[in-house]
Amino acid sequence: MSFINYSSREINCKIVYYGPGLCGKTTNLQFIYKKTNPEQKGKLISLATESERTLFFDFLPLALGDIRGFKVRFHLYTVPGQVFYAASRKLILKGVDGVIFVADSQIERMEANMESLDDLRINLAEQGYAVEKLPYAVQYNKRDLPRVAPVEEMNKLLNVNGVQWFEGVAPTGVGVFETLKGVAKQVLLELKKHY
Amino acid sequence: MAGSDLVMHDNEFQKIDGELQRLHQQANANVVFLVDKNGQLIASAGDTHNIDTTSLASLTAGNIAATGGIARLLGEKEFTILFHEGEKDNIHISLIGQRVILVVIFGQRSSLGLVRLRVKKAAEALARIFDEIASKAEKEKVEGGKSADSPFAEISDEDIDNLFK
C-alpha cells in the first residue's frame, strides 16, 4: 500500500526482502546503507538477537530522488528468515508494494529456499496478494560460494513464472542495487497504472 | 493490488494537521504523530527536531502489528491502546478506525489521564477525516479518474533510471 501525499509531494512505497534464514537479506540492506549518500538515507534499524540474527525486522528508509516534483521514498524491510518466526513474517508483509525473494544458491539450502517461497505464497495469499500480481523479483545470492546450484536449475525450482531474476553476492554488492532497481521500477509502473 | 493505497490531497492534509496541532496543544504533549499501519509517517505536530520520525513511525507500526498478533492469539480483536512509561517521557499509542496509529509523546507537563481524554476526542475527528478519504478513494476508483497533477501520468523508464544514478 503506497502512500501518495500531494500536500508534501511525496510518494512512499514499501519493499520487503523475503527468503530463508541466513540467505543474505540483511546483508543486502547493509550494502545499500553503506553505498548511499547520507542525505538519501535514514537510520538502518535492525531488531536482531545478540547473535545478529534478525528477530523482528530490519528497516531502511531510502529517498532516491524526485520524479515530476514528487520525492520518491522506498521503505525497505527484511523479514526474519528463521522458520519459527512465521508470525512476525506475516506482520511485515502487511501493506507491501513489492517483494524481493533472496534465495541462497548453495545446493544444500535449496529445500530451505523452496520452503520459504511456499511460506511467502501462503502469507501473501492470507492478505489477498499473489506473487504473480505483485511487483516481484528473485535474487540468487551467494554466487561466489563453491557448491552453488546452476541458475537454470534454480529458475526451475524457484521461478516457475519466469520473473525478473538477478545473481548476487550481497557482501560485495554484486546484484544488490540491480535487484532493488528491478522491483522499484515495477512498483512505480504499477502505481502509474492506477494514478 | 490488494488493499488500497493512501492518497492524500492538500485539503485533507490540512484538516489532519489541524487536528494534530490541536491535540498537541490541548494534551500538553511534546510531540504528536500520525502513522499508517504500514509504518509510514502521515503527519506530525510539535518539536520533531530531535526525533528520527521515520524510524519512529516504522517501529510504532511494528509495535502495533506485534500487539495485534498477540491479541488475536488471545482471542481479542485488537488492543487499541499501548502505553510505555519512561523516566522522563512517556508514549501513548492508539489505533484509530483500524487504519491509522496516533502517537502522543508527553513528559511531566501532562498526565496519562489528560492524554487519554484528549486522544479520545481527536480520534473521533481523525476517524471521520479518514472515512472521507476512504470514500473519496472508492468513488475515484469507480469513476476510474486519475488526478490531474498525478506524478505518474507521464512517468518514463528514464525517470526511474535517473533515481538510481
Side-chain angles (χ1 to χ4, degrees):
Chain A
M1 192 186 101
S2 310
F3 172 34
I4 304 163
N5 189 338
Y6 281 86
S7 182
S8 55
R9 303 193 80 74
E10 277 179 11
I11 302 162
N12 293 281
C13 309
K14 176 173 179 177
I15 293 178
V16 173
Y17 285 76
Y18 212 92
L22 294 175
C23 70
K25 301 174 289 292
T26 301
T27 314
N28 261 272
L29 248 63
Q30 284 167 342
F31 185 82
I32 293 166
Y33 181 77
K34 210 165 72 185
K35 290 291 170 186
T36 30
N37 299 327
E39 68 275 11
Q40 287 187 304
K41 66 188 173 195
K43 259 191 211 133
L44 173 61
I45 288 183
S46 280
L47 303 180
T49 66
E50 280 178 11
S51 53
E52 291 189 14
R53 300 297 303 268
T54 304
L55 178 65
F56 195 4
F57 58 79
D58 304 308
F59 169 66
L60 175 62
L62 212 55
L64 287 178
D66 289 30
I67 284 190
R68 314 269 153 185
F70 275 70
K71 201 177 271 174
V72 181
R73 283 219 179 93
F74 286 100
H75 290 185
L76 311 183
Y77 286 81
T78 67
V79 298
Q82 293 178 85
V83 176
F84 56 90
Y85 289 133
S88 306
R89 273 194 295 280
K90 270 183 213 176
L91 302 176
I92 293 147
L93 281 175
K94 269 191 189 164
V96 67
D97 294 303
V99 175
I100 292 171
F101 185 81
V102 182
D104 190 328
S105 295
Q106 297 176 93
I107 290 167
E108 63 267 28
R109 294 298 287 163
M110 229 32 72
E111 210 165 308
N113 287 331
M114 288 161 71
E115 200 180 323
S116 176
L117 189 60
D118 278 344
D119 180 62
L120 170 65
R121 283 182 185 283
I122 293 166
N123 288 338
L124 283 176
E126 268 181 32
Q127 297 184 48
Y129 294 105
V131 171
E132 294 78 16
K133 293 202 176 136
L134 206 65
Y136 175 71
V138 185
Q139 181 185 83
Y140 299 129
N141 196 20
K142 308 201 184 187
R143 296 311 295 173
D144 57 329
L145 295 187
R147 279 172 41 81
V148 297
V151 169
E152 301 78 56
E153 200 173 305
M154 293 188 77
N155 264 328
K156 259 184 224 160
L157 289 173
L158 304 168
N159 188 10
V160 285
N161 296 318
V163 299
Q164 220 176 4
W165 57 270
F166 301 87
E167 292 188 74
V169 183
T172 57
V174 176
V176 169
F177 275 100
E178 290 80 355
T179 316
L180 174 62
K181 186 176 166 183
V183 166
K185 204 166 180 172
Q186 292 180 46
V187 169
L188 292 171
L189 292 175
E190 185 67 27
L191 284 172
K192 187 184 174 181
K193 278 190 213 163
H194 297 278
Y195 300 102
Chain B
M1 217 184 280
S4 58
D5 300 320
L6 177 59
V7 180
M8 192 171 296
H9 293 276
D10 203 33
N11 58 340
E12 292 143 354
F13 185 80
Q14 297 305 338
K15 277 189 206 164
I16 289 169
D17 189 54
E19 282 303 328
L20 293 192
Q21 298 291 352
R22 184 169 22 235
L23 175 61
H24 172 245
Q25 203 182 13
Q26 291 186 337
N28 276 340
N30 301 352
V31 190
V32 175
F33 289 96
L34 199 63
V35 177
D36 84 3
K37 270 182 109 177
N38 308 315
Q40 282 159 358
L41 180 72
I42 297 172
S44 64
D47 184 14
T48 54
H49 285 304
N50 300 318
I51 300 177
D52 177 354
T53 50
T54 314
S55 300
L56 193 87
S58 139
L59 288 172
T60 307
N63 200 343
I64 278 279
T67 309
I70 295 169
R72 279 187 296 281
L73 288 178
L74 298 178
E76 278 287 331
K77 203 169 128 216
E78 199 108 46
F79 292 122
T80 46
I81 292 176
L82 296 181
F83 175 60
H84 301 302
E85 191 176 281
E87 263 178 28
K88 285 198 314 251
D89 290 333
N90 314 294
I91 182 164
H92 182 281
I93 304 171
S94 51
L95 194 58
I96 298 177
Q98 296 293 317
R99 253 192 305 248
V100 288
I101 302 164
L102 179 61
V103 183
V104 181
I105 300 174
F106 64 96
Q108 284 153 352
R109 290 187 304 125
S110 187
S111 69
L112 179 58
L114 177 66
V115 169
R116 284 192 69 154
L117 179 74
R118 298 301 185 194
V119 160
K120 209 172 166 192
K121 285 210 166 148
E124 286 166 11
L126 287 166
R128 272 197 301 277
I129 299 172
F130 279 94
D131 279 342
E132 278 171 31
I133 294 176
S135 60
K136 198 172 147 194
E138 199 55 44
K139 208 174 129 205
E140 276 173 9
K141 216 184 216 170
V142 173
E143 289 168 358
K146 296 190 178 191
S147 180
D149 56 343
S150 164
F152 302 108
E154 289 166 24
I155 194 173
S156 65
D157 279 12
E158 200 186 344
D159 288 331
I160 299 173
D161 287 338
N162 281 338
L163 288 178
F164 284 88
K165 272 190 182 152

